[in-house]
Amino acid sequence: MDQTYVYEEENEENGLTLKKVGRFFKRGWVTMLVCVVAAVLIAAAVVFPIKLLYKTEQIARTSIEYIYKGIEEGKDPNGGTFNSDNIISTTVLSKAVADAELDSVITDISSLRERMRIESVETEEYIKLVNDAANGVQSAIDRLRTYVMRPTRFVIVISKPSALGLSDTQAKILLDKVVSSYYEDFKSRFAVTNMFPTGAFGLSDNELMEYADIYDEYIDTIKPVADYLLTMSDEAGDFVSTKYNTTFAQLATDLGRIESNLGLLNRTILSNNVWKNKPAALGALTESKSNLTTLIDNTDEYIRSLTDQIDKFKPNTTSVTSPDGGQTTTNTYSEYYTELQKTLNNYNLLKLDYQSQLANITARINALGNETVATAEAVQSVENLIAAIENSATELYEKVNNVIADYYDTTFVSSAVRQVQPSVITRKSSNINMIVAFGLAAFIGFAAACIITTVFVVKANRAEAAKKAAAEKAEAENTVTVADVGGSTEKESKTKK
């Protein structure tokens, strides 16, 4: 009897399917969960100690800013090269430590200075150039090639103040004292003090100096002060010194009174023929007259030379016709021509000064030729005038110097440097983002679980495939055996027949 065997072939979907993915996660979800939890725990064990225990540099810091003309060019108030190291000079730090009453804590200023540094703050202009260059702006790129940043703000830093034995509070106090000490140092170096010497008015003690020569010296001494006060009366006309309740214009008026007294002194000397040594005075005046005459002649010659050069210049003439038919002619000269004109004007003024001196000397020589003998009262009057002028000039010079110092202190020094950030202590912890760290750990754990699950699944699939192949082989062998048995039986049946 024939037997029919029906083989049912299982249909496996090719490629990655949701069914396969679901089966994959179904088989490995426990492994995945264990791996993710283990990775997160390991990350926590590593990250938390770093986050809590590891610290970067502990610093105390404050910042100052300079506000004066020239700092943008890297210059100090006097026009020299600005040096930020002066902020933490030994002089500044010594005073700061003393003012903070930390002498017992910091006994070596050099050790403090070694732990301090000055950091420049990038200017807005520089930051803009860098950003523009990063965005491809060619003009910014070209300028950065030769650009030199001139910072106006600086950060004062004490690195690890605890290593110096300073507490947080002490470190902040010390920084504040450094700023105030530097301010005093800055003021002492750049404040305008004793601009005009007050010791110039003591010539009456010189017995060999003629009264007329004393007058000449005092006139020369007063002239630059008078010029300065007139200039400041225009430039700082609104300034009123609160310390001395006066202005530059008032000081100029006071100085004018001294000049008037000097004029009176000169007239008294000549009208009363007051001389200490007539022959010596006459000889000196005659020599001075000769020298001045020579100077005037030389100046005249140079003036004529300048005039000849100027006359040879021809202007560049341009004409412009207006819409209404009018014509405007403009003459322009070279810069050299302008310089020659300035030089000519200066020498003309110099000649006038020489001529004034010559006239004064001539008047004195004429007075010396007078046989009149000065009376004791006239001599005493001259000496009293000189003493009064010296006292009033000395007093006024002191006042002028004080007002000038007050002016610059009020308008410049007091606002040239300022503290823009209070002293603070910072302790930067390690820059680790906890969310990112744990997220990365979870991802690594998940990936590891997927790999482990994949390995197990592949092994399981291989074992199942081998088992299935063995079963199919055994089934095939059984089929062959059944077929052989059936054939033998059929043969035996035919033989019997």
Side-chain angles (χ1 to χ4, degrees):
M1 183 173 103
D2 295 332
Q3 293 183 356
T4 302
Y5 296 92
V6 179
Y7 294 93
E8 294 183 0
E9 192 171 329
E10 184 178 354
N11 293 324
E12 282 287 341
E13 298 181 16
N14 294 324
L16 183 65
T17 65
L18 292 174
K19 184 177 180 180
K20 288 183 178 181
V21 172
R23 187 184 306 158
F24 176 81
F25 281 106
K26 183 177 181 182
R27 290 181 178 181
W29 71 270
V30 176
T31 303
M32 293 179 188
L33 180 62
V34 171
C35 288
V36 169
V37 172
V40 171
L41 291 176
I42 292 172
V46 174
V47 171
F48 272 120
I50 295 177
K51 190 74 175 177
L52 296 176
L53 301 178
Y54 177 74
K55 303 291 181 183
T56 58
E57 182 186 27
Q58 172 212 12
I59 61 173
R61 57 187 292 154
T62 187
S63 62
I64 60 175
E65 183 179 26
Y66 294 87
I67 309 171
Y68 63 84
K69 185 178 180 181
I71 184 62
E72 299 86 355
E73 300 172 0
K75 297 180 180 179
D76 63 27
N78 289 338
T81 302
F82 175 81
N83 185 4
S84 60
D85 286 342
N86 290 330
I87 301 173
I88 53 173
S89 67
T90 303
T91 302
V92 170
L93 296 183
S94 297
K95 187 175 186 306
V97 170
D99 292 345
E101 298 180 355
L102 294 172
D103 308 77
S104 59
V105 180
I106 300 176
T107 56
D108 183 9
I109 297 299
S110 61
S111 63
L112 171 62
R113 198 168 191 275
E114 288 174 358
R115 289 201 170 274
M116 296 190 70
R117 64 178 182 268
I118 303 298
E119 299 175 350
S120 59
V121 179
E122 294 178 346
T123 61
E124 293 181 1
E125 180 185 42
Y126 176 74
I127 294 173
K128 185 178 185 303
L129 278 175
V130 171
N131 291 336
D132 289 345
N135 293 328
V137 179
Q138 189 59 43
S139 60
I141 296 174
D142 294 339
R143 190 180 178 194
L144 276 176
R145 290 193 179 101
T146 57
Y147 182 82
V148 178
M149 185 183 70
R150 304 294 188 186
T152 60
R153 182 176 293 191
F154 297 85
V155 179
I156 309 172
V157 176
I158 302 178
S159 175
K160 296 182 180 179
S162 58
L164 295 167
L166 297 173
S167 66
D168 289 358
T169 301
Q170 289 174 328
K172 290 190 287 186
I173 292 174
L174 178 59
L175 272 181
D176 288 337
K177 295 300 181 182
V178 168
V179 172
S180 59
S181 176
Y182 173 67
Y183 172 79
E184 294 299 325
D185 178 74
F186 182 89
K187 181 177 179 180
S188 67
R189 285 186 292 117
F190 299 115
V192 179
T193 57
N194 299 322
M195 188 171 184
F196 300 106
T198 57
F201 298 96
L203 297 179
S204 58
D205 294 334
N206 189 340
E207 296 180 356
L208 300 177
M209 196 169 188
E210 282 290 347
Y211 299 122
D213 293 336
I214 294 175
Y215 161 82
D216 291 339
E217 288 292 332
Y218 287 167
I219 283 292
D220 291 339
T221 301
I222 282 178
K223 188 177 184 305
V225 182
D227 292 341
Y228 177 83
L229 291 177
L230 288 175
T231 300
M232 294 304 293
S233 297
D234 294 333
E235 294 182 1
D238 296 334
F239 174 74
V240 178
S241 174
T242 55
K243 290 184 179 179
Y244 305 99
N245 192 30
T246 190
T247 63
F248 287 113
Q250 182 60 49
L251 291 173
T253 301
D254 296 340
L255 188 62
R257 295 192 185 98
I258 295 176
E259 289 178 306
S260 297
N261 289 334
L262 281 169
L264 176 61
L265 171 64
N266 187 49
R267 291 191 298 272
T268 303
I269 293 171
L270 298 180
S271 62
N272 292 281
N273 210 13
V274 180
W275 307 92
K276 293 182 179 180
N277 187 332
K278 279 190 175 184
L282 182 60
L285 287 170
T286 302
E287 183 179 357
S288 296
K289 181 178 180 179
S290 175
N291 292 337
L292 276 171
T293 302
T294 302
L295 286 173
I296 291 173
D297 291 340
N298 292 339
T299 304
D300 277 334
E301 184 178 351
Y302 191 66
I303 288 174
R304 285 192 296 271
S305 174
L306 288 172
T307 304
D308 291 340
Q309 293 183 61
I310 291 171
D311 290 342
K312 293 178 182 179
F313 276 88
K314 293 183 179 180
N316 296 321
T317 304
T318 57
S319 298
V320 178
T321 302
S322 61
D324 59 0
Q327 194 172 28
T328 303
T329 302
T330 304
N331 294 329
T332 58
Y333 292 89
S334 66
E335 291 184 4
Y336 182 60
Y337 172 87
T338 304
E339 289 299 321
L340 285 176
Q341 283 285 11
K342 289 180 179 178
T343 304
L344 178 61
N345 292 336
N346 290 336
Y347 271 87
N348 280 325
L349 292 174
L350 182 62
K351 179 182 175 180
L352 289 174
D353 184 52
Y354 287 156
Q355 288 174 335
S356 176
Q357 293 181 46
L358 182 60
N360 190 30
I361 288 175
T362 301
R364 291 178 182 178
I365 291 174
N366 293 335
L368 280 168
N370 190 341
E371 297 298 330
T372 304
V373 178
T375 63
E377 291 80 3
V379 173
Q380 188 62 48
S381 177
V382 168
E383 292 181 348
N384 290 341
L385 265 174
I386 292 175
I389 289 170
E390 288 179 340
N391 290 334
S392 59
T394 300
E395 182 180 346
L396 181 62
Y397 266 46
E398 291 178 353
K399 190 173 183 180
V400 167
N401 286 336
N402 290 334
V403 171
I404 292 173
D406 186 28
Y407 169 74
Y408 280 99
D409 182 52
T410 302
T411 61
F412 166 66
V413 178
S414 296
S415 58
V417 185
R418 63 171 183 167
Q419 187 175 9
V420 293
Q421 178 193 6
S423 300
V424 295
I425 304 294
T426 59
R427 290 182 176 84
K428 297 180 181 179
S429 60
S430 57
N431 191 19
I432 299 177
N433 190 308
M434 301 295 287
I435 297 177
V436 173
F438 287 130
L440 182 61
F443 175 77
I444 294 173
F446 176 74
C450 289
I451 293 172
I452 294 171
T453 302
T454 301
V455 171
F456 282 129
V457 168
V458 169
K459 287 184 177 180
N461 287 342
R462 286 179 179 176
E464 186 176 348
K467 184 178 179 180
K468 182 177 180 180
E472 289 178 351
K473 182 178 180 181
E475 186 177 355
E477 289 176 353
N478 289 337
T479 302
V480 172
T481 302
V482 171
D484 290 341
V485 173
S488 299
T489 304
E490 183 178 355
K491 186 176 180 181
E492 288 178 1
S493 174
K494 288 181 178 180
T495 302
K496 289 180 179 181
K497 288 182 180 181

